[in-house]
Amino acid sequence: MEPHQLPWSPLDPAALPDLLAGVGAPWWLAGGWSIDAFVGRVTRVHEDTDVLVLRRDQAAFRSALASWDVHTADPPGTLRPWPVGETLPVGVHDVWCRPTPSSPWSLQLMIDHTDGEDWVYRRDARLRRPVSSLAGPASDPARQVLAPEVQLLQKSKGRRPKDEADFAAAAPLLSPEARSWLRGALDIVSPGHDWAAAL
């Protein structure tokens, strides 16, 4: 069976602080779990567990997962092993992780760009914000959670049913500042997007 055909058994987000305790670099719970953390309840089934990391810190995360079986999703989606010590090509943004080669996949790292101390949206470099502002209101001392407006921006392109569900759950709860930021971001990267009108 090819690696991409193996099933997922998502890591419990509560296990992330211990797993990544020795990294020494920032990370954020992302994906659908970050939306649920913001909303304050589990709103749907989650097929995976996503963590956002910064490209500049990739070596620290690969070292922290040195005992794991880790693959990169090389565009257009071919999985290949990621050896410790290899710097990923700029075009690689997704990394699949599992404890052993026979385990289900359990963790996905989403690798984003930075410019100095700014996070840069990988689909449009015009959009950026301070790395220090990426942690949303659901963050706590043990775990940073990606700001919901940033996560919804990431989800705005795919428009899968789960993305629509996440928008419907989170949008009414956004602060005025978060709502304004997301509306402005959508106007830049996707003019006429109906999420912008809904905000």
Side-chain angles (χ1 to χ4, degrees):
M1 181 179 291
E2 293 297 315
H4 68 276
Q5 296 174 312
L6 293 174
W8 276 81
S9 179
L11 185 72
D12 185 336
L16 289 170
D18 285 341
L19 177 65
L20 301 176
V23 171
W27 57 270
W28 299 263
L29 177 65
W33 281 117
S34 72
I35 297 298
D36 278 1
F38 171 65
V39 172
R41 60 184 174 85
V42 177
T43 62
R44 62 174 176 82
V45 173
H46 296 281
E47 301 161 350
D48 56 13
T49 297
D50 299 323
V51 169
L52 177 68
V53 305
L54 304 178
R55 184 167 299 278
R56 66 190 186 195
D57 301 323
Q58 61 178 280
F61 286 93
R62 185 62 190 95
S63 295
L65 297 171
S67 66
W68 281 47
D69 185 47
V70 179
H71 286 59
T72 71
D74 287 353
T78 302
L79 288 179
R80 67 166 178 86
W82 179 20
V84 174
E86 178 194 340
T87 299
L88 295 177
V90 172
V92 172
H93 301 282
D94 295 311
V95 175
W96 291 21
C97 313
R98 56 189 174 183
T100 72
S102 59
S103 303
W105 299 107
S106 59
L107 178 65
Q108 181 172 348
L109 302 182
M110 301 176 0
I111 301 179
D112 272 9
H113 302 301
T114 53
D115 179 10
E117 292 307 310
D118 285 343
W119 165 85
V120 180
Y121 183 45
R122 66 180 173 87
R123 295 190 179 109
D124 192 323
R126 292 176 295 172
L127 268 184
R128 52 186 64 208
R129 59 191 275 169
V131 169
S132 60
S133 74
L134 290 179
S139 300
D140 59 48
R143 179 188 70 183
Q144 295 192 97
V145 178
L146 188 61
E149 66 271 22
V150 176
Q151 184 57 68
L152 290 174
L153 174 65
Q154 301 274 23
K155 288 176 164 289
S156 67
K157 186 175 189 300
R159 305 292 299 275
R160 300 162 296 184
K162 65 181 182 180
D163 300 324
E164 297 290 350
D166 288 345
F167 178 78
L173 304 177
L174 293 175
S175 70
E177 295 78 14
R179 184 181 298 270
S180 176
W181 184 89
L182 179 57
R183 186 169 54 242
L186 290 171
D187 286 344
I188 290 171
V189 304
S190 187
H193 199 295
D194 57 357
W195 285 6
L199 292 166

